[in-house]
Each structure stands twice: as C-alpha cells, then as structure tokens.
Amino acid sequence: MSLLIRNGRIVTAVDDYRADVFIEDETISHIGLDLDMDADRIIDARDKLVIPGGVDPHTHMDMPFGGTTSADDFETGTRAAAFGGTTTIIDFVVQQKGHSTLEALETWHAKAEGKACIDYGFHMIVTDMEDERLWEMRRLCDEGITSYKMFMAYPGVLYVDDGTLFRAMRKAADDGTLVCMHAENGIVIDEIVKRHLAEGKTSPRYHALTRPTRMEAEGVHRAIAIAEVAGAPVYIVHLSCADALEQVTLARDRGAPVYAETCPQYLFLDIGHYEQEGFEGAKYVMTPPLRERWNQDHLWRGLAFGDLHSIATDHCPFCFKDQKALGIDDFSKIPNGAPGVENRMSLVYNGGVVAGRISPNKFVELTSTAAAKLFGLFPKKGTIAVGSDADIVVFDPKRKETISVGNLHTHHMNVDYNAYEGMEVQGVSETVVCRGRVVVADGDWHGHSGGGNFLKRGTFDGRA
C-alpha cells in the first residue's frame, strides 16, 4: 500500500519545513513539494505537524513484579502507545537470578510475538552475571539486544552488587553495548523502610519519604564512577531530581560518556499526590518516587541544555483496585509503577513547546530521535528521511484534550486510573502511521495485534 501525506509541516530533531511525504513498501521513498504521485491513500496534513513516530525506550509490558503482573500486555500496551503517537517501544526482559539471560529472552519473545501492534525491541535486565556466563552478553548483542539494565535497588529481587556492575560494564565496553542503570542506594533505603514500618508508618506517603533524593544521587554518582573505571558509557534511567541531575552534569562536564532520561511523571507530578485521602496516593507509588515540585525546573533545564537526553515513560501499570491494594496495610508491598505510555507525547508537547520551554525540534529529539540514536535504531527510526521506516505522526498542535480514564481519546491503557487525570493538554496525535500502515485515524483503531516487528538493534556509537 502506498500513502501520500500532503501539505504538512515536517519537523525532525534538526529540520522544520513544508513538504509532502510519499510512502511505499513500509518506507519513506520521496519527500518534496507538491509531489504528483499516485497513492492508494492520501492524508491532508495542512496546519498539522508531520513528525517521526515516538520512540519510548522504557516500558514494562506483562512484567511480573511485587506479587502480580503489570496490567498491560504487549497487545493492550502497544495499542495504547500508538494512540498516543508512539510507534516503537523498547521493553525490558527480566533475567531470573540463577537462570540464563537467553532463557529469559525466549520468554519475552513469546510474550510479544503475535501481540505487539507496533515495532519493539528489548533491553535485558541482568540480575546476576558470573564470569562463566559473560559470553551470554556477546550472544545477546548478536541477537540485537544491545543494552542491559542493572539495579542498585530492590535487594534480594533485582539488586546487583558493585562487582557485578563492574564485570558487566567491562564486557559491555568490549562489545559496544550500553548499560542502563536504576541508580538508588537500595541497601540504605531498605533500612529506612524497615525503621518506618516498625514505627507504624504504613501509608503510601512513606514510599516517597523513605527514598530520599540523596540516595538517588549517591547511586548515580557510584554508577558513573564504576562506569568510568570500566571504560564504559552509562545511561541513567528515570532520573527524578536535581540532586541526581547534578551528578550527571558534573560527569558530562568532565567529558564522561554519561546519558540520562527522565519521565513525564517527574516533570508534571509532585510529592503532594501522596497526600490524597485514604489510599489514593498508592496510584503514584513508583520508583523513584515523585519529588518536590521545585525539582521540575531543574529537569526542564537539563532537557533544554542536553544533560538529559530523552523522555521515556517507565510505563508499568498496576490497577488501583486489584493490584495496588496488595499494599493497603504496608506501603512497601504496593506494586511499584504507573501508567503513561499513551500520554507522553501530548504531555511533553504541552509542557515543553506550548509552555515555551523547548522548541518543536527539541520535542522530537526528546521523544524520538535521541532514543533511536542511543539504542541503535537510527536512522531506521527517529527521523523522517528517504529510506527510513515510515513511522510518522500527523500531530495537531492546536487541538486540546483533557486526559482522563473516561476519555476514549486519551486512555486506552488497560488500567483503571490515569496518573494525569483532569490535566488539559494542547497537542494531540491525530493520525499515526507504523511502517506505512495507518494504525490510528480520527480516534479510531485501524491496526492489528501482531502487526509490530521485533527490532534487532545496532551497537552503541555515542551519537546522541
């Protein structure tokens, strides 16, 4: 099927011009003014932005955690992502301690195949990596899994010690792959949690109060230090606060190959959400937790000046009634995570471009291009160029919507609440094209389960 998008304002991370885009065989074949070409379908993008499909490098679909499993699987989660203008996700495979990472990869392929509605790749969460199994990292790289995530948090579950970090970082440096770090001092945090529970402090607000920003900053500092000695680049996931950002900025100022992402929840929500009546604060139990509002200005500055490189969601939804309630008497048992994969693009456009904090080009860079470059997908993904995959969003920069679990234009995620309930946004994904196929148009779904392809990603080259 061929597709012609006419009269749009094409915006990439570096370009801003008016032209038509012609798509055939799943890729962009022509870009030019007033293209006179026969097409099976024509979309008029007059007064609209034509941007690359979003790349969300941090999601958790169908992930076991905290005695339950995240509410979105690869079908419902990727469909919701597409409604919001995201056409590629990178999800996290979880290695079980003592088991092979290759075994875990097979499990996640089975979860996604035949279900994913958009293209997807995988990171590997490494929970142990002894010398005799280091060869698996090279094998994963050959399979297109060119990034790994390791945790300084969740002792006894996902936590790895500093020796394992160093060992894996050295191997990643040799292979040209990238280590992603969940950087918090989980050992100290667990001690703080035990003390609060012993004092009878069990409500959701104590999730935030037991995970201070200094423990995130310490984790970031230590992760960077270990990576520098290992000679490896490092990518800090879901950075939430000014304390942690300071460590990234200092490292980058001395030339270290350090990269970081933040998430919409840390740009638009704050610690006050834990003060809601009853158990409502459990909706916002995620790790790291929401921070004091003043941190948001620092994060926006980090995005504008390039010390923060991308905006991901850490989409890991748990239903409020059936899943978050597991911790109704003990905040440490509330499944950590929140929904967001569908609302990212509109939130960032509204809070960034409309608010005058970033340019439209920077918006595209933060929601698509930078992640594609960092994680071995560019220029196949993350831009509008001849030869690139035809992942395109016709984006209405003037249209407004109110985000709500009851609004079918803003909520298709398989979860019974929306973290941004009642927030009005300007800027909406109107038509979404994945590899030349229109999957969303005028609020209706035209895609299908299994329409997404697994992406074997290239190695890290430090272009972002």
Side-chain angles (χ1 to χ4, degrees):
M1 180 177 177
S2 60
L3 177 65
L4 179 62
I5 302 175
R6 306 193 64 133
N7 305 315
R9 176 185 168 192
I10 298 174
V11 179
T12 71
V14 294
D15 302 309
D16 191 339
Y17 60 96
R18 297 190 180 277
D20 302 339
V21 181
F22 186 71
I23 297 162
E24 55 186 345
D25 298 327
E26 300 189 350
T27 62
I28 298 168
S29 63
H30 294 80
I31 301 174
L33 287 171
D34 303 320
L35 292 180
D36 184 16
M37 309 182 80
D38 292 329
D40 296 314
R41 180 170 180 173
I42 297 175
I43 296 173
D44 187 357
R46 191 179 306 275
D47 300 323
K48 308 291 170 51
L49 305 183
V50 178
I51 62 175
V55 178
D56 188 342
H58 191 152
T59 66
H60 297 284
M61 308 298 180
D62 199 4
M63 176 184 172
F65 186 79
T68 185
T69 302
S70 58
D72 270 316
D73 65 9
F74 278 88
E75 180 178 10
T76 63
T78 57
R79 185 171 62 235
F83 270 106
T86 290
T87 56
T88 299
I89 63 166
I90 310 179
D91 203 78
F92 287 88
V93 177
V94 184
Q95 175 205 21
Q96 293 186 352
K97 284 185 181 292
H99 291 257
S100 168
T101 58
L102 302 176
E103 176 187 326
L105 178 59
E106 289 182 9
T107 299
W108 253 256
H109 274 309
K111 289 174 182 280
E113 287 173 4
K115 284 191 172 184
C117 303
I118 60 175
D119 290 355
Y120 61 97
F122 290 138
H123 312 278
M124 176 63 65
I125 292 177
V126 174
T127 58
D128 63 53
M129 187 55 65
E130 299 303 324
D131 287 325
E132 58 270 21
R133 288 227 313 276
L134 278 174
W135 65 270
E136 290 185 10
M137 293 180 68
R138 178 69 250 180
R139 174 70 178 277
L140 288 168
C141 182
D142 293 340
E143 295 292 322
I145 314 301
T146 54
S147 49
Y148 318 96
K149 182 180 181 183
M150 289 184 284
F151 284 78
M152 292 173 159
Y154 306 123
V157 182
L158 297 169
Y159 171 87
V160 296
D161 61 35
D162 290 351
T164 302
L165 291 182
F166 181 75
R167 190 180 309 121
M169 285 178 172
R170 286 278 295 169
K171 180 59 175 170
D174 290 342
D175 292 341
T177 54
L178 182 61
V179 171
C180 306
M181 286 303 310
H182 179 132
E184 290 183 294
N185 190 320
I187 300 295
V188 173
I189 286 169
D190 269 17
E191 291 299 313
I192 301 172
V193 168
K194 285 193 294 185
R195 187 183 69 192
H196 278 68
L197 291 175
E199 294 172 354
K201 298 172 179 177
T202 60
S203 66
R205 67 191 295 261
Y206 292 107
H207 172 73
L209 297 178
T210 55
R211 305 186 92 91
T213 62
R214 295 307 299 159
M215 291 297 93
E216 183 179 353
E218 189 279 335
V220 171
H221 173 84
R222 182 157 41 98
I224 292 170
I226 295 170
E228 286 183 287
V229 175
V234 65
Y235 179 89
I236 307 299
V237 299
H238 50 46
L239 189 145
S240 74
C241 62
D243 278 354
L245 177 58
E246 181 183 31
Q247 298 302 315
V248 171
T249 303
L250 288 170
R252 289 182 58 78
D253 284 350
R254 62 177 179 266
V258 177
Y259 308 88
E261 71 182 24
T262 191
C263 307
Q265 53 265 38
Y266 306 121
L267 297 171
F268 300 105
L269 307 176
D270 63 71
I271 197 169
H273 285 76
Y274 297 114
E275 301 298 335
Q276 297 182 20
E277 287 187 26
F279 193 60
E280 289 291 311
K283 294 176 178 178
Y284 306 94
V285 168
M286 60 192 75
T287 303
L290 302 179
R291 305 301 192 180
E292 293 180 315
R293 182 178 291 272
W294 61 264
N295 287 277
Q296 295 174 7
D297 288 338
H298 292 265
L299 298 181
W300 279 111
R301 187 178 187 280
L303 291 166
F305 285 88
D307 289 319
L308 290 172
H309 298 82
S310 65
I311 301 176
T313 59
D314 192 12
H315 177 77
C316 191
F318 297 99
C319 290
F320 178 62
K321 293 180 180 178
D322 300 328
Q323 295 178 298
K324 293 285 188 177
L326 292 170
I328 196 165
D329 297 317
D330 179 348
F331 71 87
S332 70
K333 295 180 180 178
I334 301 171
N336 283 206
V341 74
E342 183 170 1
N343 306 121
R344 178 182 67 126
M345 302 284 280
S346 289
L347 284 165
V348 175
Y349 188 86
N350 183 76
V353 179
V354 176
R357 292 184 172 108
I358 57 174
S359 69
N361 299 105
K362 192 69 173 180
F363 163 69
V364 171
E365 178 185 336
L366 293 170
T367 57
S368 181
T369 311
K373 288 182 175 181
L374 283 163
F375 294 109
L377 293 171
F378 187 85
K380 184 180 178 73
K381 307 291 186 184
T383 193
I384 295 176
V386 172
S388 295
D389 281 1
D391 293 349
I392 293 176
V393 176
V394 178
F395 191 87
D396 188 339
K398 299 297 183 183
R399 180 174 156 190
K400 296 181 179 180
E401 289 283 356
T402 299
I403 296 174
S404 174
V405 69
N407 183 349
L408 294 182
H409 291 291
T410 65
H411 192 98
H412 299 84
M413 298 171 288
N414 187 37
V415 62
D416 59 358
Y417 73 98
N418 194 298
Y420 306 97
E421 183 71 32
M423 190 176 295
E424 185 181 73
V425 290
Q426 178 180 322
V428 175
S429 299
E430 183 176 88
T431 303
V432 181
V433 180
C434 296
R435 279 186 293 105
R437 298 172 292 111
V438 175
V439 295
V440 175
D442 300 319
D444 293 325
W445 178 243
H446 299 277
H448 65 276
S449 302
N453 287 346
F454 170 69
L455 301 169
K456 293 184 71 171
R457 296 182 289 112
T459 54
F460 173 78
D461 65 8
R463 284 184 294 179

